[in-house]
Amino acid sequence: MTRSFEELGLKPELLRAVNDLGFESPTPIQEKAIPVALSGCDILGQAQTGTGKTAAFGLPILNKIVPRGGLQALIICPTRELAVQVAMDLTNFGRYLRIRALPVYGGQSINLQIRALYNRPELVVGTPGRLLDHLQRGTLSLEHLRFVVLDEADEMLDMGFREDIDSILSRCPGERQTMLFSATMAPPIADLARSFLNEPEEVAIRRLEVTAPLIEQRYYEVNPNQKVESLCRILDVENPASALVFCRTKRGADDLAENLRVRGYEAEAIHGDLSQRERDSVMTRFRAGSFELLVASDVAARGLDISHVSYVINYDIPQDPDSYVNRIGRTGRAGREGTAITLVTPREVRQLRFIERMINKRIRRCALPTLSETIERRQQQLARRVVSALEEPSGEYRSLAAELLEEHDSTDLVATLLRSLDQEGRNLERTELQEARPERLTVRVPLGRVDGVQVRDLLHRLEAVGIARRDIGNIKILEDHTYVEVPAELADQAAGLFKTGRGRRHNRTDKPSNRRRPIRGGTK
Ligand code: AMP
């Protein structure tokens, strides 16, 4: 039985913030990690993005922080995107306690950050390089630090940040609580944990032996800013008679149902904030087929008596494999056909892979329908609707029809009627959807500080082979090699660019080497 946030022992200000965000109950990693973190133990946590890990470490830290007591918690993240996201989440959780989290990362003006640090935020979330920079300048003081979090530690090691992490942690007070989160528990993580955690408690999502039902399972990679549009595309093409659409939060469910209604879809939300009467009424109407899309949060869906829907759509990826299996089990019951669709943003691809491993099944990747495919499919549906209506008596309109046909071109007439019929229903988003920004891979380039490499040169050279600056992530220049984050599908191209016989894709078993190389100033 899941415990509620109230039962986890958090301050009322935090419960209020969590409720505002629409979280109904703790995710599995939160349920496990929060009590351990509150007890003061170090934590070695296995969880990836999408599981709710930020709140798992963030809420207990916020619970213990003294407002306006200066910097007390440091969160170290691999990328600037994550640093910004985590700082934003923590500030949101801490809003009623008036606690602030400041992100510091490379690429942003250091002076701006120095000024912001001067205001003594209670938490700092930063990438290793920039944190070290501040430490070396003396603009960041870790003297009163009580909490340290290593977030996505496996990514940080992959990117060659081990030395930087060692250096930052050696400047933290010994008397502190440390939490390490990583998607994997490979030996280098265990080594990191041994170095910096003190008798940690291990926290992981239960490994389950589950089999997902035998139904068609697909996923679509979507741009996080165009999720609603992407869902509409899919709904237009699939045209399900009824679908259960899952959201992460009750607020998310309300917003999505509203957004769908505005676009002409018949959608209603169901979640924990509705009274039993309201829920019953929504359910009765859904079962009777009076609307097509039931948008639900996990908690609301748990008690629902829905025997069968033809589609289950995970608008938000579930936070653990158990929930994935429960959600999609709503379709394909009793040997009937069913389809389960999951929308995945690039950052959540890892979470999807984790679910695949747990259910021991590949989920098929599909491309979002294009605008022209969508139009074609809608027109076919419209034609079917009109042709099947031909069977119904239309006597009272016949003489008007004959009159109109005498005065107008018959194709023009039918086309106009079809258009107005089409516009009665769902609005069609007329823009092409943007490609989801691709997942990035870290490439190891065999040139480093000793070769005089600078970020600017690297960007120029990558741009010259068609890798746009906005798609390039973190760049980390070390003594004799450099790590560059590029879109996964361009990783080989990027590695090839710097090939001197040594350029290669960096994989997880690679360790940054300390060998010096005699080349200077180029790849030859
Ligand atoms: P994270 O793994 O921390 O990146 O969180 C993934 C997403 O889940 C974020 O959008 C969070 O706001 C959301 N989230 C975190 N905890 C919960 C919860 N208990 N219920 C619903 N959503 C949550």
Side-chain angles (χ1 to χ4, degrees), residues 304-477:
L304 293 185
D305 172 25
I306 302 174
S307 57
H308 177 77
V309 286
S310 53
Y311 278 74
V312 166
I313 300 177
N314 294 310
Y315 179 75
D316 291 318
I317 188 167
Q319 275 146 330
D320 64 300
D322 239 347
S323 144
Y324 179 80
V325 172
N326 284 338
R327 286 180 180 189
I328 72 168
R330 299 290 180 159
T331 184
R333 288 202 177 162
R336 282 191 278 187
E337 279 182 15
T339 305
I341 287 175
T342 303
L343 304 193
V344 181
T345 65
R347 279 208 68 81
E348 293 163 342
V349 171
R350 283 190 116 182
Q351 168 72 353
L352 182 90
R353 299 277 169 256
F354 176 66
I355 292 174
E356 283 183 328
R357 275 203 306 283
M358 289 293 130
I359 63 172
N360 203 14
K361 189 172 164 61
R362 290 290 289 183
I363 302 173
R364 188 160 61 91
R365 179 173 193 217
C366 291
L368 282 171
T370 61
L371 181 57
S372 59
E373 279 165 1
T374 313
I375 292 174
E376 193 187 319
R377 192 58 82 90
R378 277 173 69 119
Q379 293 194 343
Q380 287 166 357
Q381 286 159 12
L382 199 59
R384 270 202 300 276
R385 213 173 114 197
V386 172
V387 171
S388 69
L390 279 178
E391 289 162 15
E392 292 163 25
S394 55
E396 53 188 306
Y397 294 98
R398 294 189 72 87
S399 63
L400 178 59
E403 243 174 73
L404 287 169
L405 278 166
E406 229 161 73
E407 288 169 32
H408 301 276
D409 176 68
S410 55
T411 310
D412 282 350
L413 261 183
V414 177
T416 308
L417 289 173
L418 286 173
R419 195 187 58 215
S420 57
L421 261 182
D422 196 18
Q423 282 169 355
E424 267 174 21
R426 306 157 166 187
N427 306 340
L428 179 63
E429 207 77 43
R430 294 239 162 231
T431 45
E432 281 296 354
L433 298 178
Q434 287 159 17
E435 281 280 300
R437 283 266 295 278
E439 207 190 352
R440 290 187 181 139
L441 268 186
T442 302
V443 170
R444 185 183 198 274
V445 172
L447 296 172
R449 274 197 286 272
V450 291
D451 307 296
V453 158
Q454 290 192 345
V455 170
R456 229 188 15 238
D457 314 332
L458 284 170
L459 288 176
H460 279 321
R461 295 175 66 167
L462 290 165
E463 271 177 323
V465 292
I467 304 181
R469 199 171 275 229
R470 70 183 142 78
D471 286 337
I472 301 171
N474 254 46
I475 296 186
K476 166 97 184 131
I477 302 181

Side-chain angles (χ1 to χ4, degrees), residues 190-332:
D191 182 56
L192 190 68
R194 264 194 304 279
S195 310
F196 298 113
L197 300 183
N198 181 17
E199 296 180 15
E201 185 136 340
E202 290 186 28
V203 177
I205 297 177
R206 184 166 53 91
R207 293 209 148 242
L208 15 88
E209 298 294 323
V210 286
T211 32
L214 291 172
I215 54 171
E216 191 194 345
Q217 296 173 51
R218 298 183 232 149
Y219 80 94
Y220 293 83
E221 206 167 315
V222 299
N223 188 316
N225 302 324
Q226 291 189 318
K227 280 181 87 174
V228 182
E229 292 81 354
S230 306
L231 173 64
C232 292
R233 273 287 142 84
I234 297 169
L235 290 171
D236 280 352
V237 168
E238 305 283 333
N239 201 25
S242 69
L244 187 52
V245 184
F246 282 103
C247 287
R248 196 133 48 209
T249 64
K250 49 194 176 188
R251 214 171 87 185
D254 264 340
D255 289 350
L256 179 61
E258 176 63 30
N259 262 317
L260 288 169
R261 279 196 297 270
V262 167
R263 288 170 161 80
Y265 299 80
E266 298 163 349
E268 299 230 10
I270 190 157
H271 52 67
D273 277 358
L274 300 187
S275 68
Q276 191 57 45
R277 278 237 332 258
E278 288 168 319
R279 284 202 214 194
D280 290 346
S281 143
V282 172
M283 285 315 300
T284 312
R285 285 182 294 118
F286 184 60
R287 279 196 218 98
S290 37
F291 61 94
E292 53 193 346
L293 305 169
L294 181 62
V295 186
S297 61
D298 270 326
V299 172
R302 218 166 279 157
L304 293 185
D305 172 25
I306 302 174
S307 57
H308 177 77
V309 286
S310 53
Y311 278 74
V312 166
I313 300 177
N314 294 310
Y315 179 75
D316 291 318
I317 188 167
Q319 275 146 330
D320 64 300
D322 239 347
S323 144
Y324 179 80
V325 172
N326 284 338
R327 286 180 180 189
I328 72 168
R330 299 290 180 159
T331 184

